[in-house]
Amino acid sequence: MNQMNSPLIRVGVFYDGNYFLKISDYYYFQHERKARISLEGLHEFIRHQVAEEEDVDVRLAQITTSHFFRGRLSATEARDKDRLFHDRLLDDILMNLGVCTHYMPLKTRDGRLQEKGIDVWLSLEALEMALHKTLDVVVLIAGDSDYVPLIRKLNTVGTRVMLLNWDFKYEDFKGETRVTRASQHLLEQATYPVAMHAVIDRGLQEQDEVVENMFVTQSEPAAFAPSTSGLNYGNAPVTPAAVTNGAAPAAVSGTAAAPKVIRTTGPTAAGPVGTVGISTIKNLKNGFGFVVMPPNNLFFSYADLSEGDFNDLREGDWVEFTVGRNHRDEDCARNVRKVAAPNLDGDDDYEPATSTHQALSATL
């Protein structure tokens, strides 16, 4: 397939987007690395891996086309599910790297959103690119056996297939076991199957520069602008009498601006929507958490942080938040950010689970 016997190895990269994002979430929330996969770093790894398999200098292994396929929510649905910012952030990353995006609308079946047709579209596009752009190697980032016909067809036209695959399992925040494993049939058809979980773990242990660079090093951008309310809970005394009477904390430094209402769907058990609160984190797991707020506590996810990194949070940390509603019309915490614990005068034996804490949480 190499056009005019050129020494250049032309590489095409094709992402099953849902599969890739699941992998990235695993490394961010579950793996000890606690960082997302860097697309730029992954592409550099691919070039080195292709060069090694094809026995050429890495400068001759060049990614000439790359494509990302995924089912996508409508703008309204993404807004209601608080996914709009993160979808746009992903678009920015793909655009800056020159990855061509292919989106299909998610379909509702039996009350659940489902992704249909992505594997067919990816397969057709990959085959077309292999033929018309004379790709020498197609790199497939996927794990579903639905891609077996694609690999077989690529083999018949002389294009080698490198399959980047992962094998891991973990417990999600509901305590359910989640398993990610590539189809054995898919692995058998690929020219160069690469067990990425093993490659990454070994590379991190050996401090391999190419593997290290496969991870994002900076904090993830927040979905909300940092708070400008001027509230400072550092060492300012907050008296239980002030908060239980519904008044603003008497000695909180700064001038508090009126809280911004996110949704005006009415009052919640934690107070009116848009109410600014302060409380402690009850538990954290897999990118989700709960803020102490009787009777049911308030759910939040990494997407609800207004600043900082989710992986820097710890159970028992004090956080400021805005009362909101999620897409199920349930109470939740928005604009979550870590703050210093308030100083409660005359309450040396204060514990987060006391009624004083509950009153403070509900009225700030």
Coordinates of all heavy atoms in Angstrom, one line a residue, residues 78-148:
A78 N -27.7 18.1 26.7 CA -26.4 18.3 27.3 C -26.4 19.3 28.4 O -25.8 19.2 29.5 CB -25.3 18.6 26.3
R79 N -27.2 20.4 28.2 CA -27.3 21.5 29.2 C -28.1 20.9 30.4 O -27.6 21.2 31.5 CB -28.1 22.6 28.6 CG -28.4 23.8 29.5 CD -29.5 24.7 29.1 NE -30.8 23.9 29.0 CZ -31.8 24.3 28.4 NH1 -31.8 25.4 27.7 NH2 -32.9 23.5 28.4
D80 N -29.2 20.2 30.2 CA -30.0 19.7 31.3 C -29.2 18.7 32.1 O -29.5 18.5 33.3 CB -31.3 19.1 30.8 CG -32.2 20.2 30.2 OD1 -32.0 21.4 30.5 OD2 -33.1 19.9 29.5
K81 N -28.3 17.9 31.5 CA -27.5 16.9 32.2 C -26.1 17.5 32.6 O -25.3 16.7 33.0 CB -27.3 15.7 31.3 CG -28.6 14.9 30.9 CD -28.3 13.8 30.0 CE -29.6 13.0 29.6 NZ -30.2 12.3 30.8
D82 N -26.0 18.8 32.4 CA -24.7 19.5 32.8 C -23.5 18.9 32.1 O -22.4 18.7 32.7 CB -24.5 19.4 34.4 CG -25.7 20.0 35.1 OD1 -25.9 21.2 34.9 OD2 -26.4 19.3 35.8
R83 N -23.7 18.6 30.8 CA -22.6 18.0 30.0 C -22.1 19.0 29.0 O -21.1 18.7 28.2 CB -23.0 16.7 29.4 CG -23.2 15.6 30.3 CD -22.0 15.2 31.1 NE -20.8 15.1 30.2 CZ -19.6 15.0 30.7 NH1 -19.4 15.1 32.0 NH2 -18.6 14.8 29.9
L84 N -22.7 20.2 28.8 CA -22.5 21.1 27.7 C -21.0 21.6 27.7 O -20.3 21.6 26.7 CB -23.4 22.2 27.7 CG -23.6 23.0 26.4 CD1 -24.0 22.1 25.3 CD2 -24.6 24.1 26.6
F85 N -20.6 22.0 28.9 CA -19.2 22.5 29.0 C -18.2 21.4 28.7 O -17.2 21.7 27.9 CB -18.9 23.0 30.4 CG -17.5 23.4 30.7 CD1 -17.0 24.6 30.2 CD2 -16.6 22.5 31.3 CE1 -15.6 25.0 30.4 CE2 -15.3 22.9 31.5 CZ -14.8 24.1 31.1
H86 N -18.3 20.2 29.2 CA -17.4 19.2 29.0 C -17.4 18.7 27.5 O -16.3 18.3 27.0 CB -17.6 18.0 30.0 CG -17.2 18.4 31.4 ND1 -18.0 19.1 32.2 CD2 -16.0 18.2 32.0 CE1 -17.3 19.2 33.4 NE2 -16.1 18.7 33.3
D87 N -18.5 18.7 26.9 CA -18.6 18.4 25.5 C -17.8 19.4 24.7 O -17.1 19.0 23.8 CB -20.0 18.3 25.0 CG -20.7 17.0 25.4 OD1 -20.0 16.1 25.9 OD2 -22.0 16.9 25.2
R88 N -18.0 20.7 25.0 CA -17.3 21.7 24.3 C -15.8 21.7 24.6 O -15.0 21.9 23.7 CB -17.8 23.1 24.7 CG -17.2 24.3 24.0 CD -17.3 24.2 22.5 NE -16.5 25.2 21.8 CZ -17.0 26.4 21.5 NH1 -18.3 26.7 21.8 NH2 -16.3 27.3 20.9
L89 N -15.4 21.3 25.8 CA -14.0 21.2 26.1 C -13.3 20.1 25.3 O -12.2 20.3 24.8 CB -13.9 20.9 27.6 CG -12.4 20.8 28.2 CD1 -11.7 22.1 28.0 CD2 -12.5 20.4 29.7
L90 N -14.0 19.0 25.2 CA -13.5 17.9 24.4 C -13.4 18.3 22.9 O -12.4 18.0 22.2 CB -14.4 16.7 24.5 CG -14.1 15.5 23.6 CD1 -12.7 14.9 24.0 CD2 -15.1 14.4 23.7
D91 N -14.4 19.1 22.4 CA -14.3 19.6 21.0 C -13.0 20.4 20.8 O -12.3 20.4 19.8 CB -15.5 20.4 20.7 CG -16.7 19.5 20.4 OD1 -16.5 18.3 20.2 OD2 -17.8 20.0 20.3
D92 N -12.7 21.3 21.8 CA -11.6 22.2 21.7 C -10.3 21.4 21.6 O -9.4 21.7 20.9 CB -11.5 23.1 22.9 CG -12.6 24.2 22.9 OD1 -13.2 24.4 21.9 OD2 -12.8 24.9 23.9
I93 N -10.2 20.3 22.5 CA -9.0 19.5 22.5 C -8.8 18.8 21.1 O -7.7 18.8 20.5 CB -9.1 18.4 23.6 CG1 -9.0 19.2 25.0 CG2 -7.9 17.4 23.5 CD1 -9.4 18.3 26.2
L94 N -9.9 18.2 20.6 CA -9.8 17.5 19.4 C -9.5 18.4 18.2 O -8.7 18.1 17.3 CB -11.1 16.8 19.1 CG -11.5 15.6 20.1 CD1 -12.9 15.2 19.9 CD2 -10.5 14.4 19.9
M95 N -10.1 19.6 18.2 CA -9.9 20.6 17.2 C -8.4 21.1 17.2 O -7.8 21.2 16.1 CB -10.8 21.8 17.4 CG -10.6 22.9 16.4 SD -11.8 24.3 16.7 CE -11.3 24.8 18.4
N96 N -7.9 21.4 18.3 CA -6.5 21.8 18.4 C -5.5 20.8 18.0 O -4.4 21.1 17.5 CB -6.2 22.3 19.8 CG -6.9 23.6 20.2 OD1 -7.2 24.4 19.3 ND2 -7.3 23.8 21.5
L97 N -5.9 19.5 18.1 CA -5.0 18.5 17.7 C -5.2 18.0 16.2 O -4.5 17.2 15.7 CB -5.2 17.2 18.6 CG -4.1 16.2 18.6 CD1 -2.7 16.8 19.0 CD2 -4.4 15.1 19.6
G98 N -6.2 18.6 15.6 CA -6.5 18.3 14.2 C -7.2 17.0 14.0 O -7.2 16.4 12.9
V99 N -7.9 16.5 15.0 CA -8.7 15.3 14.9 C -10.1 15.6 14.4 O -10.8 16.5 14.9 CB -8.9 14.6 16.3 CG1 -9.7 13.3 16.2 CG2 -7.5 14.3 16.9
C100 N -10.5 14.9 13.3 CA -11.8 15.1 12.7 C -12.9 14.5 13.6 O -12.8 13.3 13.9 CB -11.8 14.6 11.3 SG -13.3 14.9 10.4
T101 N -13.9 15.2 13.9 CA -15.0 14.6 14.8 C -16.2 14.2 14.0 O -16.5 14.8 13.0 CB -15.4 15.7 15.8 OG1 -15.8 16.9 15.2 CG2 -14.3 16.0 16.8
H102 N -16.8 13.1 14.4 CA -17.9 12.5 13.8 C -19.0 12.2 14.9 O -18.7 11.3 15.7 CB -17.6 11.3 13.0 CG -16.5 11.4 12.0 ND1 -16.7 11.6 10.6 CD2 -15.1 11.4 12.2 CE1 -15.5 11.7 10.0 NE2 -14.6 11.6 10.9
Y103 N -20.1 12.9 14.9 CA -21.1 12.7 15.9 C -22.4 12.2 15.4 O -22.8 12.7 14.3 CB -21.3 14.0 16.7 CG -20.1 14.5 17.5 CD1 -19.6 15.8 17.2 CD2 -19.5 13.8 18.4 CE1 -18.5 16.3 17.9 CE2 -18.4 14.2 19.1 CZ -17.9 15.5 18.9 OH -16.8 16.0 19.6
M104 N -23.0 11.3 16.1 CA -24.4 10.9 15.8 C -25.2 11.1 17.0 O -24.8 11.0 18.1 CB -24.4 9.4 15.4 CG -23.7 9.0 14.1 SD -23.9 7.3 13.7 CE -25.7 7.3 13.2
P105 N -26.5 11.5 16.8 CA -27.4 11.8 17.9 C -27.7 10.5 18.7 O -27.9 9.4 18.1 CB -28.7 12.3 17.2 CG -28.6 11.8 15.8 CD -27.2 11.7 15.5
L106 N -27.6 10.6 20.0 CA -28.0 9.4 20.8 C -29.5 9.2 20.7 O -30.3 10.2 20.7 CB -27.6 9.7 22.3 CG -26.1 9.7 22.6 CD1 -25.9 10.2 24.0 CD2 -25.5 8.3 22.4
K107 N -29.9 8.0 20.7 CA -31.3 7.6 20.5 C -31.9 7.1 21.8 O -31.2 6.3 22.6 CB -31.5 6.6 19.4 CG -31.0 7.0 18.1 CD -31.8 8.2 17.5 CE -31.4 8.5 16.1 NZ -32.2 9.6 15.5
T108 N -33.1 7.4 22.2 CA -33.8 6.9 23.4 C -34.5 5.6 23.0 O -35.4 5.6 22.2 CB -34.7 7.9 24.0 OG1 -34.0 9.1 24.3 CG2 -35.3 7.4 25.2
R109 N -34.1 4.5 23.7 CA -34.8 3.2 23.5 C -35.1 2.7 24.9 O -34.2 2.5 25.7 CB -33.9 2.3 22.7 CG -33.6 2.8 21.3 CD -32.6 1.8 20.6 NE -32.2 2.3 19.3 CZ -32.8 2.1 18.1 NH1 -34.0 1.4 18.2 NH2 -32.4 2.6 17.0
D110 N -36.3 2.3 25.1 CA -36.8 1.7 26.4 C -36.4 2.7 27.5 O -36.0 2.2 28.6 CB -36.1 0.4 26.6 CG -36.5 -0.6 25.5 OD1 -37.7 -0.5 25.1 OD2 -35.7 -1.5 25.1
G111 N -36.5 4.0 27.3 CA -36.2 4.9 28.3 C -34.8 5.2 28.6 O -34.4 6.0 29.5
R112 N -33.9 4.6 27.8 CA -32.4 4.8 28.0 C -31.8 5.4 26.7 O -32.2 5.0 25.6 CB -31.8 3.5 28.3 CG -32.2 2.9 29.7 CD -31.5 1.6 29.9 NE -30.0 1.8 30.0 CZ -29.2 0.8 30.0 NH1 -29.6 -0.4 30.0 NH2 -27.9 1.1 30.1
L113 N -30.8 6.3 26.9 CA -30.1 6.8 25.7 C -29.1 5.7 25.2 O -28.3 5.2 26.0 CB -29.3 8.1 26.1 CG -30.2 9.3 26.3 CD1 -29.4 10.4 26.9 CD2 -30.8 9.8 25.0
Q114 N -29.1 5.5 23.9 CA -28.2 4.4 23.4 C -27.5 5.0 22.2 O -28.0 5.8 21.4 CB -29.0 3.2 23.0 CG -29.7 2.5 24.2 CD -30.4 1.2 23.8 OE1 -30.2 0.7 22.7 NE2 -31.2 0.7 24.7
E115 N -26.3 4.5 22.0 CA -25.4 4.8 20.9 C -25.6 3.8 19.8 O -25.2 2.6 20.0 CB -24.0 5.0 21.3 CG -23.0 5.5 20.3 CD -21.6 5.6 20.9 OE1 -20.9 4.6 21.0 OE2 -21.2 6.7 21.2
K116 N -26.1 4.1 18.6 CA -26.3 3.2 17.5 C -25.7 3.7 16.3 O -25.8 4.9 15.9 CB -27.8 2.9 17.3 CG -28.5 2.2 18.5 CD -28.0 0.8 18.6 CE -28.8 0.1 19.8 NZ -28.3 -1.3 20.0
G117 N -25.0 2.8 15.5 CA -24.5 3.1 14.2 C -23.1 3.7 14.2 O -22.5 3.9 13.1
I118 N -22.5 3.9 15.4 CA -21.1 4.5 15.4 C -20.1 3.5 14.8 O -19.2 3.9 14.1 CB -20.7 4.9 16.9 CG1 -21.5 6.2 17.3 CG2 -19.2 5.1 17.0 CD1 -21.1 7.4 16.5
D119 N -20.2 2.2 15.2 CA -19.2 1.2 14.7 C -19.3 1.1 13.2 O -18.2 1.0 12.5 CB -19.5 -0.1 15.4 CG -20.9 -0.6 15.2 OD1 -21.8 0.2 14.9 OD2 -21.2 -1.8 15.5
V120 N -20.5 1.2 12.6 CA -20.6 1.1 11.1 C -20.0 2.3 10.5 O -19.2 2.2 9.5 CB -22.1 1.0 10.7 CG1 -22.2 1.0 9.2 CG2 -22.7 -0.3 11.3
W121 N -20.3 3.5 11.0 CA -19.7 4.8 10.4 C -18.2 4.8 10.5 O -17.5 5.1 9.6 CB -20.3 5.9 11.2 CG -20.1 7.3 10.5 CD1 -19.6 7.5 9.3 CD2 -20.4 8.6 11.0 NE1 -19.5 8.8 9.0 CE2 -20.1 9.5 10.0 CE3 -21.0 9.0 12.2 CZ2 -20.2 10.9 10.2 CZ3 -21.2 10.3 12.4 CH2 -20.8 11.3 11.4
L122 N -17.7 4.4 11.7 CA -16.2 4.4 11.9 C -15.6 3.4 10.9 O -14.6 3.7 10.2 CB -15.8 3.9 13.3 CG -14.4 4.0 13.7 CD1 -14.3 4.2 15.2 CD2 -13.6 2.7 13.3
S123 N -16.2 2.2 10.7 CA -15.6 1.2 9.8 C -15.6 1.7 8.4 O -14.6 1.5 7.6 CB -16.5 -0.1 9.9 OG -16.4 -0.6 11.2
L124 N -16.7 2.3 7.9 CA -16.8 2.8 6.6 C -15.7 3.9 6.3 O -15.0 3.9 5.3 CB -18.2 3.3 6.3 CG -19.3 2.3 6.2 CD1 -20.6 3.0 6.0 CD2 -19.0 1.4 5.0
E125 N -15.6 4.8 7.3 CA -14.6 5.9 7.2 C -13.2 5.4 7.2 O -12.4 5.8 6.4 CB -14.8 6.9 8.3 CG -14.2 8.2 8.1 CD -14.9 9.1 7.1 OE1 -16.1 8.9 6.9 OE2 -14.2 10.0 6.5
A126 N -12.9 4.4 8.0 CA -11.5 3.9 8.1 C -11.2 3.1 6.8 O -10.0 3.3 6.3 CB -11.4 2.9 9.3
L127 N -12.1 2.4 6.3 CA -11.8 1.7 5.0 C -11.6 2.7 3.9 O -10.7 2.5 3.1 CB -12.9 0.7 4.7 CG -12.8 -0.1 3.4 CD1 -11.5 -1.0 3.5 CD2 -14.0 -1.0 3.2
E128 N -12.4 3.7 3.8 CA -12.3 4.7 2.8 C -11.0 5.4 2.9 O -10.3 5.6 1.9 CB -13.4 5.7 2.9 CG -13.4 6.8 1.8 CD -14.6 7.8 1.9 OE1 -15.4 7.6 2.8 OE2 -14.6 8.7 1.1
M129 N -10.6 5.8 4.1 CA -9.3 6.5 4.3 C -8.1 5.6 4.0 O -7.1 6.0 3.4 CB -9.2 6.9 5.8 CG -10.1 8.0 6.2 SD -9.8 9.6 5.4 CE -11.2 9.6 4.2
A130 N -8.2 4.3 4.3 CA -7.1 3.4 4.0 C -6.9 3.3 2.5 O -5.8 3.2 2.0 CB -7.4 2.0 4.6
L131 N -8.0 3.3 1.7 CA -7.9 3.1 0.3 C -7.5 4.4 -0.4 O -6.6 4.4 -1.3 CB -9.3 2.7 -0.3 CG -9.7 1.2 0.1 CD1 -11.2 1.0 -0.3 CD2 -8.8 0.2 -0.5
H132 N -8.1 5.5 0.0 CA -7.9 6.8 -0.8 C -6.7 7.6 -0.2 O -6.1 8.4 -1.0 CB -9.2 7.6 -0.7 CG -10.3 7.0 -1.5 ND1 -10.3 6.9 -2.9 CD2 -11.5 6.5 -1.1 CE1 -11.5 6.3 -3.2 NE2 -12.2 6.0 -2.2
K133 N -6.3 7.4 1.0 CA -5.2 8.1 1.5 C -4.0 7.1 1.7 O -3.0 7.4 2.3 CB -5.5 8.7 2.9 CG -6.4 9.9 2.7 CD -6.4 10.8 4.0 CE -7.2 12.0 3.7 NZ -7.1 13.0 4.9
T134 N -4.1 5.9 1.1 CA -3.1 4.9 1.1 C -2.4 4.7 2.5 O -1.2 4.9 2.6 CB -2.0 5.2 0.0 OG1 -1.4 6.5 0.3 CG2 -2.6 5.1 -1.4
L135 N -3.2 4.5 3.5 CA -2.7 4.3 4.8 C -2.0 2.9 4.9 O -2.4 1.9 4.4 CB -3.8 4.3 5.8 CG -4.6 5.6 5.9 CD1 -5.7 5.5 7.0 CD2 -3.7 6.8 6.3
D136 N -0.8 3.0 5.5 CA 0.0 1.7 5.7 C -0.5 1.0 7.0 O -0.5 -0.2 7.1 CB 1.5 2.1 5.9 CG 2.0 2.7 4.6 OD1 2.0 2.1 3.5 OD2 2.4 3.9 4.6
V137 N -0.8 1.8 8.1 CA -1.2 1.3 9.3 C -2.5 2.1 9.8 O -2.5 3.3 9.8 CB -0.1 1.4 10.4 CG1 -0.6 0.9 11.7 CG2 1.1 0.6 10.0
V138 N -3.5 1.3 10.2 CA -4.7 1.9 10.8 C -4.6 1.6 12.3 O -4.5 0.4 12.7 CB -6.0 1.4 10.2 CG1 -7.2 1.6 11.2 CG2 -6.3 2.0 8.9
V139 N -4.6 2.6 13.1 CA -4.6 2.4 14.6 C -6.1 2.5 15.1 O -6.7 3.5 14.9 CB -3.7 3.4 15.3 CG1 -3.8 3.2 16.8 CG2 -2.3 3.2 14.8
L140 N -6.6 1.4 15.7 CA -7.9 1.4 16.1 C -8.0 1.4 17.6 O -7.3 0.5 18.3 CB -8.6 0.1 15.6 CG -10.1 -0.1 15.9 CD1 -10.9 1.0 15.3 CD2 -10.6 -1.5 15.4
I141 N -8.7 2.4 18.2 CA -8.8 2.5 19.7 C -10.3 2.1 20.0 O -11.2 2.9 19.9 CB -8.5 3.9 20.1 CG1 -7.1 4.2 19.8 CG2 -8.7 4.0 21.7 CD1 -6.7 5.6 20.0
A142 N -10.4 0.8 20.2 CA -11.8 0.2 20.4 C -11.6 -1.2 21.0 O -10.5 -1.7 21.1 CB -12.5 0.1 19.0
G143 N -12.8 -1.8 21.4 CA -12.7 -3.1 22.0 C -13.8 -4.0 21.6 O -13.9 -5.1 22.0
D144 N -14.7 -3.5 20.8 CA -16.0 -4.2 20.4 C -15.7 -5.2 19.3 O -15.0 -4.9 18.3 CB -17.1 -3.2 20.1 CG -18.4 -3.8 20.2 OD1 -18.6 -4.9 19.6 OD2 -19.3 -3.2 20.8
S145 N -16.3 -6.4 19.4 CA -16.2 -7.4 18.3 C -16.9 -6.9 17.0 O -16.6 -7.5 15.9 CB -16.8 -8.7 18.7 OG -18.1 -8.6 19.0
D146 N -17.7 -5.9 17.1 CA -18.3 -5.3 15.9 C -17.3 -4.8 14.9 O -17.6 -4.6 13.7 CB -19.3 -4.2 16.2 CG -20.5 -4.7 16.9 OD1 -20.8 -5.9 16.9 OD2 -21.3 -3.9 17.5
Y147 N -16.0 -4.6 15.3 CA -15.0 -4.1 14.4 C -14.2 -5.2 13.7 O -13.3 -4.9 12.9 CB -14.1 -3.1 15.2 CG -14.7 -1.9 15.6 CD1 -15.0 -1.7 17.0 CD2 -15.1 -0.9 14.7 CE1 -15.7 -0.5 17.4 CE2 -15.8 0.3 15.2 CZ -16.0 0.4 16.5 OH -16.7 1.6 17.0
V148 N -14.6 -6.4 14.0 CA -13.9 -7.5 13.3 C -14.0 -7.5 11.8 O -13.0 -7.7 11.1 CB -14.4 -8.9 13.9 CG1 -13.9 -10.1 13.0 CG2 -13.9 -9.1 15.3

